[in-house]
Amino acid sequence: MKIGILALQGDFAEHTATLKKIGVETRLVRLADHLENLDGLIIPGGESTTIGKLAEDYQLIEPIREFGKQHAIWGTCAGAILLSKDARRLQPLLQLMDITVERNAFGRQVASFEIDIEVPVFAELDPNDSHPFHAVFIRAPLIESVAGSTMVLSTLPDGQIVAAQQGKLLATSFHPELTPDDRFHRYFIKIAKRK
Ligand code: GLN
């Protein structure tokens, strides 16, 4: 099992650290060649416009799209925006997942917040342990709507969607790489292992 982490901008180092902690081999991805023989890819949090423009400059958009047709990809925050079909404004997107996102839906940096959310699919990791997940939101997008075969994995108490999955594609509005709880990383590895 080897997971790539897109390392153009954003908090790719934190994802690397969490994967190392759970014993998963990693590779930083900066060029299309780096996708070879990977079982999955993480697109980190950061600034989606910056990551998207750099991905265009490095001719990564099409290769990642192709990779995502077969393999697992997880986008956290800015990464979730890149995975979306529609961010309701013009910016480079991978458009792999049937989700529409609203960028900066909770306001500016100062409006960042942390909250415990329920993630029922964690019962698949350990049926005896599905305690709430402490989620960190930093200028986060909201998953405004999901379509097609996309499943909602978690919502805020008011019902707004913050985590979704479509096949091997995973999107979270928040940053599991910034907290010690590694259940989202382990859940992603489980998806990546599926044939
Ligand atoms: N606000 C950023 C964007 O729109 C995402 C923020 C983040 O990844 N923490 O791309």
Side-chain angles (χ1 to χ4, degrees), residues 7 40 45 47 50 77-78 94-95 117 128 152-153 155 161 178:
E47 197 57 45
T50 307
C77 204
L94 295 163
Q95 294 187 304
I117 55 172
N128 299 313
V152 172
L153 296 190
T155 63
I161 304 166
L178 296 182

Side-chain angles (χ1 to χ4, degrees), residues 152-186:
V152 172
L153 296 190
S154 191
T155 63
L156 294 176
D158 63 3
Q160 292 185 301
I161 304 166
V162 291
Q165 180 183 350
Q166 185 172 29
K168 289 187 164 198
L169 305 173
L170 181 63
T172 54
S173 304
F174 46 92
H175 291 276
E177 70 281 15
L178 296 182
T179 45
D181 191 337
D182 53 29
R183 284 178 294 169
F184 262 105
H185 288 80
R186 287 191 282 122

